[in-house]
Every structure is written in structure tokens, then in C-alpha cells.
Amino acid sequence: MGYGAMQITGEGVWGPPADRDGAIAVLRRAVELGVDFVDTADSYGPYVSEELIREALHPYDGVTIATKGGLLRTGPREWHPCARPEYLRQEVEMSLRRLGLEQIPLYQLHRVDPLVPLEDSVGELVALQKEGKIVHIGLSEVDVPQIQAAQAVAEIVSVQNRFNLADRVHEAVLDHCEAAGIAFIPWYPVATGALARPGGILDKFSKSHGATPAQLALAWLLRRSPVMLPIPGTKSVAHLEENVAAVDVTLSDEEFTRLSAAA
């Protein structure tokens, strides 16, 4: 179980958090609970999430920090793809500085830019990799042909797409990642929709397990594939502890099948 550090910023993923000390506490508690993968992006804030991670966790003993570049921010909840090679190079350099790293363990292309050939964007990350500024390369919000195009240029170790029990449009991408040994990082992993309503299947199973619907949704993800790396995010220590405890929830074959079919 990883931790996604988008929600520790301000409203609309813009500006500093209302409770800075609380954001620091969540990050530190995540590591105390055994989380060793923290996912962020230069666009979260922008820059705020990376700065908080450095303040809370540097020098990151035993914790892998992953960040992303390729989205411009113009205001709260406003996101615009920008994956020009020169922009990605600038953002890698700035992320290194903000995070206090000599190398970024995992750098992910946050979005494919429709105005820039994917091979050019990934090619620049390969150049930065050869320069020793990033270790591994990942992608975000891509389909199988885009992954294959990127694989022709670089070794791709991770794919981060929206995926959860109630939204499985990227099943083919997950299957491709599993076959290729690529980590699949589902963002927005605990969305459950109507499944968690009173009388729904998640509500029923949560009572029998003594677990929350969110914990069951995470347990389903972990059961779905061995390459699955959920990164639920929160700005609450209590919610963080609930999410991490999902690793102790085990679904039976019947429960997994029924949940899969219900969604």
C-alpha cells in the first residue's frame, strides 16, 4: 500500500493546506505504518506537495518517492497537458531541488501531450535517466498502444491510471501491465459509488468482515492483480490508518467474484 500526496495541498489541489502541521503528521504517520512508496507531482499545489514531503520525510530512509511532470496549472482544479521536452527537463530539475534528491527514483509522465509526439516526451526522460537525474520512468493515464509506443523508447516500470472497483475502464491496461511485469498504480482507488449504499454488496460484506467499504474496495484491488500498488490519499491521520489497515482484509474467492460482478 502506497500513499498518494495530492490531498495534502489546498482546496482544488491549489496552494498550501489549511492545516500544514496536519499534512506533515499524515506523511510521517504513513511511514510509521510501513508505507514505503509516496506518490506526488510537481502540479500538486503546484509544488506544495513536494515541498511538504521534503519537510516531513527527508532523507527518505527506506521510502521511495515518485513524482510526475507534464501538467500545467492555471488555477484551482485547472489542469493542462504540457510535455514538451524542454518543459519536462525544467520540471525534473525543479523537482530534484524541491525534494532534496540527487536522483528521482520514479519519474512519471503525468499526461500525454496531444501537441507533442509521445516518443519525444519519453525520449527526454530517457536522456535525463542517462544523465543520472532519474532512475525509473513511468506513465500516467495511457492506453495500451501508448504504453507500447513508450516501451519502444524506454523501459517503462509503472503505469498510473484511474482505476477502482466501480470504474474499470482500464482493465486492458492492467492486463498488459501484469503480462509485462509493470507496476499498476490505480489513482482514485477507493471510489465505491452505489455499491456502498445501505443494503448494497459492499455494505453487506463490510458488516461480515468488520471492515469499512473503503477497506474492502482496497482489498479488492490488492486481490485483483499482483502488480497492483494502490495509493489512497487523505489529509486525515485516522483515514490514513483505516486505508493502510486494508492490507489485513482478505476476501474469499466468492466475495471477490461477487464484488467484481456487482461492479
Side-chain angles (χ1 to χ4, degrees), residues 20 122 157 206:
R20 185 180 184 88
V122 176
V157 305
S206 67

Side-chain angles (χ1 to χ4, degrees), residues 161-171 174 184-193 195 217-218 220-221 224 228 230 259-260 263:
N161 279 17
R162 176 169 169 153
F163 190 88
N164 53 62
L165 177 60
D167 179 1
R168 307 208 300 267
V169 69
H170 290 299
E171 288 273 7
L174 173 56
F184 185 86
I185 307 171
W187 62 270
Y188 204 35
V190 297
T192 54
L195 300 175
L218 289 168
W220 181 88
L221 284 171
R224 171 62 180 81
M228 190 76 73
L259 280 174
S260 301

